[in-house]
Amino acid sequence: MISYLIMALFILAGTMLYQGKWANLIAGYNTLSKEEKEKYDTPALCRFYGKMMFVISFSILLWEIGDALGSLLIFMFGTLLFIVSVVFTLVYSNSGSRFKK
């Protein structure tokens, strides 16, 4: 039950971020000054993190499906997807100047 609540919160946050809202939920971005925030392409940053929230919520769904079906393979695929997406997000968003104007 708690997993479904967490998944719903991730989908809600992903939807809001994808629409360009709730940018202050992005770690590090919320601590920038107004002048520093203007240097970033906020809509692109929000869209990227919104998509990543959808991927993470899908991995949580795979955990629940794997648990319900008793399939370790589906559960492990969800875990692999989660780990790869988190590592990708950290590397992609912090390397280079992808989201700077």
Side-chain angles (χ1 to χ4, degrees):
M1 187 60 137
I2 293 174
S3 295
Y4 293 115
L5 178 63
I6 292 170
M7 188 173 49
L9 289 173
F10 270 72
I11 291 171
L12 174 65
T15 303
M16 297 306 285
L17 281 168
Y18 193 78
Q19 293 175 357
K21 301 173 183 174
W22 290 10
N24 285 330
L25 290 180
I26 300 171
Y29 183 80
N30 60 353
T31 61
L32 295 175
S33 66
K34 197 171 212 177
E35 295 80 28
E36 286 291 317
K37 286 181 183 180
E38 290 174 0
K39 295 179 183 178
Y40 286 89
D41 185 4
T42 305
L45 185 66
C46 287
R47 280 192 306 273
F48 173 74
Y49 276 99
K51 289 175 188 176
M52 289 301 106
M53 296 294 268
F54 293 139
V55 172
I56 290 172
S57 64
F58 181 67
S59 69
I60 295 170
L61 178 65
L62 288 176
W63 293 342
E64 288 301 315
I65 291 172
D67 189 41
L69 297 177
S71 173
L72 185 61
L73 183 64
I74 295 173
F75 185 85
M76 293 304 288
F77 182 72
T79 303
L80 180 65
L81 178 64
F82 178 80
I83 292 169
V84 168
S85 65
V86 168
V87 170
F88 171 75
T89 301
L90 291 172
V91 171
Y92 185 80
S93 63
N94 291 313
S95 62
S97 299
R98 289 182 175 83
F99 299 110
K100 289 197 175 186
K101 289 183 180 177

